[in-house]
Amino acid sequence: MTRSVLNFKLVAPLAAAVISINAGAQNSAQENESTLMETIVVTGQAANARSDIERQRASNKVVAVQTSEAIGELPDANVTEALQRMSGVFIARDQGEGRFVGVRGIDPNLNASTINGMSLPAPETGSRAVALDVIPSDLLASLEVFKTLTPDMSADSIGGAIEIKSINALEKDGQTYKVTIENGYGELQGENSPKIAGNYTNKFDLNGRTLGIALAASHQTRKFGSENIETDGVWEAFTALDGSEGVTAAEIEQRDYTVTRERTGLAANFDLELSQGQRIYLHSLYSDFSDEEQRQRNSYKLDEENDDPDSISATAVTWSDAALEKELKDRYEEQEILSLVLGGEHDLDKWGVEYALGFSHAEESEPHRRDTTFVQEGLQLGYTSAGKIPQMFAADASALDAASYALDELVIEDNFTDDEEVSFRLDFRRDIEVAGNPSELKFGVHERRREKTGDLNATIYDGFGDDFTLADFANGNIDYGLGTFGPGIHRGALNAFIDANIGNFEIDETDTALDSARDYVMNEDISALYVMNDIDFGRANVVYGVRYESTEFSAEGYRVAESGEPIDGAEELAEDVYVTAANYRSDYSKLFPSVNFKYDYTDNIVLRAAYTESLSRPSFGDLNPSPAAIEFDDGELEVEAGNPLLDPYEARNVDVSFEYYADALGMFSVGAFHKQIDNFVVTADVSSITDYSQYVGSLAVEEAEIFQPINGDQATLTGAELAWTRGFDNGFLLRANATFTDSEASLGLGAESGRSDKVALPSQADVVANFIVGYERDALSLRLSTAYKGERLLEVDLEDEAFDLYEDRHMQVDLSAKYRFDNGLQVFFNAVNLTDEPFYANRRGYNGQYEEYGPSYVLGVTFSSL
């Protein structure tokens, strides 16, 4: 049995410092200066918290800020994990590590990421979202998450705009340096993970000009793994052969991962201050990320031969004539990102000009990936308990006998993705008066030229010239804590066999041709003009204006069909497989008005309101003109395809907030926001309105499932944000934030679908929260942090909403402890995921995916300039 599903692809030094702070409103210079200023002695954590708060207060937009010093206080290894501590931000994890970033419950694909002011490309094949875990946190000066936009910012952000700033020597006091050496230990795999990082800054006097040089480097090798059990497909109702009734899944997988990830980051920034207000700069950042993964997998294919189980209950099931597959995925993946920005800033009396030329390049290579499958059929299989962790069983002793598994299939892939962007911006500003009030008029032009290409290749072998079994490549029983796994596959022995005999293997020409015709080239050219006015009215400030963006999009790919007869104008790739070129073009433009209002109601209270319009372009995977997969067997057709003619998401956004800043270290803010999103994209079964001949030519189709992204109806999202920081004289610092969201999206299915048309916004976490307790006294610094993410919708069952797939709530607890010596030496200890929090996704309490990672620990030393 099959069921239609809708899958969303959205996936300081320790010594006390004396700091002077302005306890009054920024625009209240007429008040007595002595009443505005007070001197407070604070230590490292408090100083960093104050810096973040003051930058947030000074902004003319709704923003969350985190400086590099604050990032270093927590055990966050990369940009993604550092961002999770900020108000309204959640992260999507892979193998327990943070990879993608969502803001205010919005899918990561609907956010924008920039580094040093320039857009960041995405190395992943189908993604527009950048997996920010490729950038080590050691290279950062600050992170900013803008939740409202001004016209001088790119409009392509519905969730939020993430700005990454690398280190800048002109912002430092003379020569500084820092070197960190550490080693991590993962409890689940028992592996060590060393890391070394350092940065150096200095300023040089060049005949009245100041040259600032900032260099940073980081390298980490992390060895870890995870244990997983997940359902391939959905849970559905069955009537067993003995007449019993219940709910079960047709395929369940046990997975054991061994992973080695290496991250290398380099940054070199050169800033030349020609004179006061005159600067030119060259900022560069390079990141290399590699991921070597070995995945041992058992696939319990329960309905391989029979449509119904032998017996079924609420917690157990037994199937006969089932199959058990054992597979090894042997994959090495490397991602590189290079960002170069050349620009300048010049104050010319009442005029000012800024310009920047940027080049960004990202690529992902997956060479020689091998997926090898062994199979044993005719088994009696099932589970003795369902729920979160199904306990699988095999009634036949041969299930644990490696010699009983025959070599069935080998898939070798060579995949390469390239994403490149050239951008230019020119901005002018002019000091003017508006009704006697000082203001700044700003206007400019921005140009972006982006090209994303994919070269995807697969060769499928299904004949091997002899009867080889798993016994020839057995690796002993896998150490697996979620049940009985049985023998695994020895990587070295298998690869040696493949390398020596691959010339004798038989290729499945049809499946190879279908899986390889997935190449694409997509170009996206964006031209923008804007004008804005920033006016000060004493205690009030307003920024308003309009941005115009024009987009030219083109996509080149292939139409692929399996047909019994030739197709006119098509090239025959293999017997009965034909391909034709597919070219698409889509042009659109839009005006984006916005207004941001800020009012210093009192010396301690700031009120804000904003109305903005924005858009998010669909992910490249959704726009891909080449089908991701085509399967046709005995009249049953299954297709996963993109849609290059999708319209972009368009949003109207309203924000209001109240912020209270205490005279001592402390702040409290509460805000509300509402987003109305048009052209919402969903992936739906469009078989009822699709011409099957484009996939199968003249062949007869009895049953079809064709999944394709389409523009749906309107979606809305409403939420509230709270943030609180409080410092105490005894050394304690408390920080907490929470974001609550509620959303509704229309699928546009119609009454005949049999289920509700309304769902929550996909990937939206209903609650995102952080709570941090810090303590600092003399040389000792402690931080205990909790990051919480509420339930979120991942997948919709088109027939019954009871089987929608939800990611369960997740709460991770981390600890950081540091001890600083007077000579600049610091010893630190970090503990990540102390409570061994797993990942769990479920359908009405039944397993969707359960994965454990275990806690990990880091011990290290840092030596820095005083």
Side-chain angles (χ1 to χ4, degrees):
M1 298 178 63
T2 60
R3 180 184 292 271
S4 299
V5 296
L6 182 92
N7 185 26
F8 296 99
K9 304 177 182 177
L10 299 181
V11 309
L14 172 71
V18 179
I19 297 181
S20 296
I21 64 167
N22 190 335
Q26 291 179 319
N27 299 314
S28 301
Q30 71 275 15
E31 297 188 20
N32 189 312
E33 184 175 339
S34 63
T35 66
L36 292 175
M37 304 297 293
E38 62 177 323
T39 299
I40 297 178
V41 179
V42 293
T43 51
Q45 291 188 31
N48 297 331
R50 185 177 299 282
S51 175
D52 294 349
I53 290 171
E54 288 301 316
R55 288 181 60 174
Q56 174 182 319
R57 177 177 182 167
S59 177
N60 56 16
K61 298 175 281 293
V62 179
V63 63
V65 180
Q66 195 171 30
T67 59
S68 60
E69 291 81 5
I71 294 169
E73 292 172 355
L74 291 165
D76 299 323
N78 58 66
V79 168
T80 300
E81 295 182 349
L83 283 163
Q84 72 176 313
R85 314 296 179 180
M86 304 172 76
S87 175
V89 177
F90 74 91
I91 64 175
R93 297 178 182 272
D94 175 50
Q95 297 292 341
E97 285 193 328
R99 295 217 74 193
F100 296 97
V101 178
V103 181
R104 287 180 163 179
I106 302 290
D107 181 74
N109 277 299
L110 308 186
N111 301 318
S113 297
T114 58
I115 185 163
N116 297 321
M118 291 296 171
S119 297
L120 202 58
E124 286 82 4
T125 298
S127 178
R128 187 178 291 275
V130 182
L132 296 177
D133 65 326
V134 301
I135 302 176
S137 57
D138 309 270
L139 310 185
L140 304 179
S142 67
L143 294 170
E144 297 176 325
V145 178
F146 294 99
K147 301 170 186 178
T148 64
L149 307 177
T150 50
D152 57 341
M153 302 173 66
S154 179
D156 59 350
S157 171
I158 289 180
I162 302 166
E163 168 65 3
I164 304 164
K165 293 184 178 180
S166 56
I167 57 176
N168 185 330
L170 294 182
E171 298 173 355
K172 303 287 186 177
D173 294 328
Q175 177 178 275
T176 69
Y177 58 85
K178 180 181 178 181
V179 178
T180 299
I181 300 173
E182 67 179 51
N183 184 63
Y185 177 80
E187 190 172 295
L188 184 67
Q189 294 290 329
E191 295 281 359
N192 291 302
S193 301
K195 176 182 177 180
I196 184 170
N199 59 57
Y200 170 83
T201 71
N202 208 347
K203 294 190 288 189
F204 304 91
D205 184 10
L206 303 178
N207 296 322
R209 300 174 178 177
T210 302
L211 174 65
I213 298 178
L215 307 173
S218 174
H219 178 79
Q220 180 189 38
T221 299
R222 182 165 186 243
K223 297 182 178 182
F224 62 107
S226 64
E227 295 177 346
N228 163 293
I229 185 165
E230 64 182 69
T231 304
D232 187 0
V234 301
W235 293 74
E236 51 191 312
F238 283 86
T239 299
L241 298 177
D242 66 359
S244 56
E245 297 180 351
V247 172
T248 189
E251 183 173 351
I252 298 176
E253 299 178 351
Q254 298 171 321
R255 301 181 175 195
D256 183 84
Y257 291 89
T258 302
V259 182
T260 299
R261 287 180 175 170
E262 293 192 21
R263 291 180 175 88
T264 300
L266 302 170
N269 293 345
F270 304 90
D271 294 81
L272 181 61
E273 189 175 57
L274 304 173
S275 61
Q276 183 68 32
Q278 311 286 329
R279 180 175 74 102
I280 58 176
Y281 58 85
L282 173 64
H283 293 167
S284 65
L285 185 142
Y286 171 79
S287 175
D288 181 273
F289 169 84
S290 66
D291 182 76
E292 184 177 5
E293 177 181 290
Q294 296 178 54
R295 183 193 68 194
Q296 304 274 355
R297 181 174 72 177
N298 286 339
S299 294
Y300 286 75
K301 295 184 175 296
L302 302 177
D303 68 342
E304 187 72 2
E305 296 295 335
N306 296 332
D307 289 334
D308 298 304
D310 296 348
S311 63
I312 190 172
S313 70
T315 59
V317 71
T318 300
W319 297 72
S320 292
D321 293 326
L324 183 55
E325 291 183 351
K326 288 185 173 288
E327 181 197 72
L328 174 67
K329 179 176 77 171
D330 182 10
R331 187 261 286 157
Y332 176 84
E333 177 184 275
E334 185 173 16
Q335 297 179 356
E336 294 183 69
I337 294 178
L338 173 66
S339 174
L340 299 171
V341 183
L342 175 66
E345 303 171 358
H346 303 277
D347 288 333
L348 308 172
D349 195 13
K350 292 187 177 182
W351 282 91
V353 61
E354 300 178 12
Y355 50 87
L357 176 65
F359 171 80
S360 298
H361 176 86
E363 63 180 52
E364 178 184 80
S365 60
E366 189 183 43
H368 313 307
R369 167 177 168 169
R370 296 176 174 181
D371 295 78
T372 309
T373 304
F374 297 81
V375 64
Q376 181 180 175
E377 298 177 334
L379 295 173
Q380 189 177 64
L381 304 174
Y383 54 80
T384 57
S385 67
K388 182 178 292 187
I389 309 175
Q391 296 300 303
M392 310 304 298
F393 79 87
D396 305 85
S398 61
L400 298 177
D401 180 12
S404 299
Y405 292 87
L407 178 58
D408 183 63
E409 184 181 77
L410 167 66
V411 181
I412 298 180
E413 296 188 35
D414 290 277
N415 302 319
F416 303 92
T417 305
D418 188 274
D419 194 351
E420 188 171 285
E421 179 171 307
V422 177
S423 58
F424 173 75
R425 62 182 301 155
L426 180 61
D427 303 284
F428 297 94
R429 62 182 187 273
R430 176 72 160 86
D431 293 332
I432 61 174
E433 285 192 0
V434 175
N437 297 291
S439 74
E440 180 184 83
L441 177 67
K442 189 175 181 182
F443 57 92
V445 57
H446 299 169
E447 294 286 337
R448 296 168 57 188
R449 300 291 182 264
R450 185 173 188 177
E451 181 177 81
K452 193 175 185 81
T453 63
D455 180 12
L456 312 176
N457 307 279
T459 305
I460 301 173
Y461 301 89
D462 61 358
F464 305 97
D466 205 344
D467 295 329
F468 297 99
T469 71
L470 178 58
D472 300 306
F473 319 101
N475 194 31
N477 291 331
I478 298 296
D479 183 10
Y480 181 74
L482 303 180
T484 301
F485 198 96
I489 304 170
H490 192 283
R491 175 195 184 195
L494 179 62
N495 284 337
F497 165 74
I498 293 172
D499 293 339
N501 297 279
I502 193 168
N504 300 320
F505 296 166
E506 181 181 336
I507 297 176
D508 184 326
E509 300 287 352
T510 298
D511 286 348
T512 294
L514 290 173
D515 283 6
S516 295
R518 297 175 292 151
D519 297 353
Y520 61 85
V521 177
M522 287 180 271
N523 287 277
E524 191 174 76
D525 297 341
I526 303 171
S527 300
L529 300 168
Y530 77 91
V531 60
M532 59 181 277
N533 193 198
D534 184 344
I535 311 175
D536 281 322
F537 296 96
R539 287 185 174 269
N541 173 266
V542 62
V543 182
Y544 68 96
V546 65
R547 184 181 184 90
Y548 170 82
E549 286 194 358
S550 174
T551 304
E552 296 180 0
F553 175 79
S554 64
E556 301 174 10
Y558 298 98
R559 290 193 187 95
V560 186
E562 183 178 356
S563 174
E565 298 179 0
I567 298 176
D568 292 341
E571 176 186 354
E572 187 174 11
L573 290 183
E575 184 177 358
D576 297 335
V577 178
Y578 300 87
V579 62
T580 56
N583 298 288
Y584 300 87
R585 183 180 179 88
S586 176
D587 299 339
Y588 51 89
S589 58
K590 183 175 172 57
L591 287 170
F592 301 93
S594 68
V595 57
N596 283 263
F597 176 77
K598 173 187 174 186
Y599 180 61
D600 290 316
Y601 181 72
T602 69
D603 291 349
N604 302 97
I605 295 175
V606 177
L607 306 177
R608 299 181 190 268
Y611 172 80
T612 61
E613 295 188 10
S614 58
L615 89 165
S616 287
R617 298 168 178 88
S619 70
F620 287 109
D622 286 345
L623 293 169
N624 192 345
S626 301
I630 300 176
E631 294 184 12
F632 183 67
D633 186 30
D634 294 331
E636 295 186 2
L637 175 65
E638 295 184 9
V639 178
E640 294 180 20
N643 183 356
L645 297 180
L646 286 172
D647 292 325
Y649 301 74
E650 296 179 1
R652 294 177 291 280
N653 317 290
V654 177
D655 287 79
V656 294
S657 65
F658 167 94
E659 301 167 2
Y660 174 80
Y661 297 89
D663 292 339
L665 176 55
M667 69 86 64
F668 171 78
S669 68
V670 57
F673 56 90
H674 177 77
K675 297 177 181 291
Q676 184 170 303
I677 305 171
D678 296 327
N679 301 328
F680 176 69
V681 175
V682 298
T683 301
D685 185 348
V686 296
S687 55
S688 62
I689 57 173
T690 299
D691 179 6
Y692 303 151
S693 65
Q694 62 181 297
Y695 301 113
V696 295
S698 60
L699 298 178
V701 176
E702 298 177 4
E703 184 177 345
E705 288 185 336
I706 301 174
F707 295 102
Q708 186 178 41
I710 60 174
N711 286 114
D713 294 336
Q714 190 178 87
T716 60
L717 180 123
T718 303
E721 288 183 326
L722 298 95
W724 176 67
T725 298
R726 180 73 170 92
F728 299 89
D729 294 339
N730 60 6
F732 277 97
L733 175 68
L734 302 180
R735 305 191 75 167
N737 60 69
T739 301
F740 305 91
T741 56
D742 181 68
S743 66
E744 183 178 86
S746 175
L747 299 175
L749 297 177
E752 67 279 2
S753 68
R755 63 153 293 151
S756 171
D757 185 59
K758 303 297 184 182
V759 298
L761 192 66
S763 293
Q764 173 232 330
D766 52 359
V767 179
V768 177
N770 288 277
F771 183 68
I772 300 173
V773 179
Y775 176 77
E776 194 160 47
R777 178 65 65 184
D778 300 325
L780 178 64
S781 176
L782 301 172
R783 300 269 279 195
L784 182 67
S785 59
T786 299
Y788 176 85
K789 177 176 63 179
E791 184 180 73
R792 62 188 188 127
L793 176 66
L794 298 181
E795 184 180 280
V796 169
D797 186 304
L798 292 180
E799 297 179 16
D800 187 351
E801 55 260 44
F803 291 101
D804 291 350
L805 180 65
Y806 285 87
E807 178 185 340
D808 202 13
R809 58 186 181 271
H810 184 277
M811 185 171 72
Q812 182 164 308
V813 179
D814 305 322
L815 172 70
S816 178
K818 300 179 181 181
Y819 189 88
R820 298 176 176 89
F821 298 88
D822 292 340
N823 61 358
L825 180 67
Q826 171 185 278
V827 179
F828 62 90
F829 171 78
N830 297 331
V832 179
N833 194 20
L834 277 171
T835 56
D836 193 11
E837 185 78 1
F839 171 91
Y840 178 51
N842 72 94
R843 302 179 191 271
R844 201 172 65 177
Y846 292 99
N847 170 276
Q849 179 180 343
Y850 179 88
E851 193 164 50
E852 291 184 349
Y853 315 103
S856 59
Y857 311 96
V858 175
L859 182 63
V861 296
T862 295
F863 187 76
S864 60
S865 55
L866 295 175

